[in-house]
Amino acid sequence: MKRRTAREKAVQCLFQIDMADVPVEEAVNLVMEESTESSQYLRHLLDGVLSNLTEIDAEIKKYLRGWQLERIANVDRAILRLAFYEIMFEADTPEKVVMNEAIEIAKLFSDEASHRYINGVLASFLQTREAQKA
């Protein structure tokens, strides 16, 4: 499975887990039901996000101007959680790739304005990280 596809399916799983408290295995089975591809990278992403969810959510909250994490659309929250996970914990994936993938996934699954909002949150996060490195 391509990484892009795994990310899309991870967002779908995170959405189900967040919205309906669907067990992880059931969410994976639902998004993979017509696929014969390996779900190894998808499971890696889900395990990473869910294992680090408290830390990820705390970091996301720092960049939500005028919003609370709980009030953001569930699909946007899933996209942000996945992107923040990859940026924070997956050093082998370039940050710009993660940002671009998140924006494209938002265009696919969310409303017209969401990709701009996600872009803004991620850009602020990346600028802060860059400033901390300097």
Side-chain angles (χ1 to χ4, degrees):
M1 171 181 304
K2 293 180 181 178
R3 286 184 174 222
R4 170 66 177 274
T5 304
R7 287 182 181 104
E8 290 174 4
K9 292 187 179 301
V11 166
Q12 292 173 313
C13 288
L14 291 169
F15 178 85
Q16 292 176 47
I17 292 164
D18 193 31
M19 279 294 292
D21 203 24
V22 172
V24 175
E25 200 56 39
E26 185 178 331
V28 170
N29 289 339
L30 285 169
V31 300
M32 294 298 294
E33 88 183 335
E34 292 184 21
S35 177
T36 57
E37 296 180 280
S38 169
S39 62
Q40 182 178 355
Y41 190 64
L42 164 62
R43 290 172 190 277
H44 168 77
L45 292 173
L46 288 175
D47 290 344
V49 172
L50 297 173
S51 296
N52 297 286
L53 193 58
T54 302
E55 188 176 349
I56 292 165
D57 283 355
E59 195 66 23
I60 292 171
K61 288 176 184 180
K62 294 176 186 177
Y63 300 93
L64 301 179
R65 296 189 180 105
W67 284 91
Q68 294 179 342
L69 186 60
E70 299 75 26
R71 299 221 15 152
I72 294 175
N74 292 64
V75 69
D76 296 343
R77 187 168 46 243
I79 293 166
L80 285 171
R81 284 174 169 163
L82 179 60
F84 270 71
Y85 164 72
E86 286 195 87
I87 292 167
M88 292 168 67
F89 298 100
E90 295 287 317
D92 64 326
T93 307
E95 294 172 345
K96 295 292 185 185
V97 169
V98 174
M99 185 172 179
N100 289 334
E101 291 278 295
I103 292 166
E104 292 304 313
I105 292 170
K107 288 178 183 177
L108 181 65
F109 290 128
S110 199
D111 67 33
E112 200 170 297
S114 289
H115 73 277
R116 286 187 214 101
Y117 181 73
I118 288 170
N119 180 45
V121 172
L122 289 172
S124 294
F125 177 49
L126 291 175
Q127 286 173 350
T128 301
R129 286 176 61 87
E130 195 61 37
Q132 290 171 346
K133 291 177 186 176

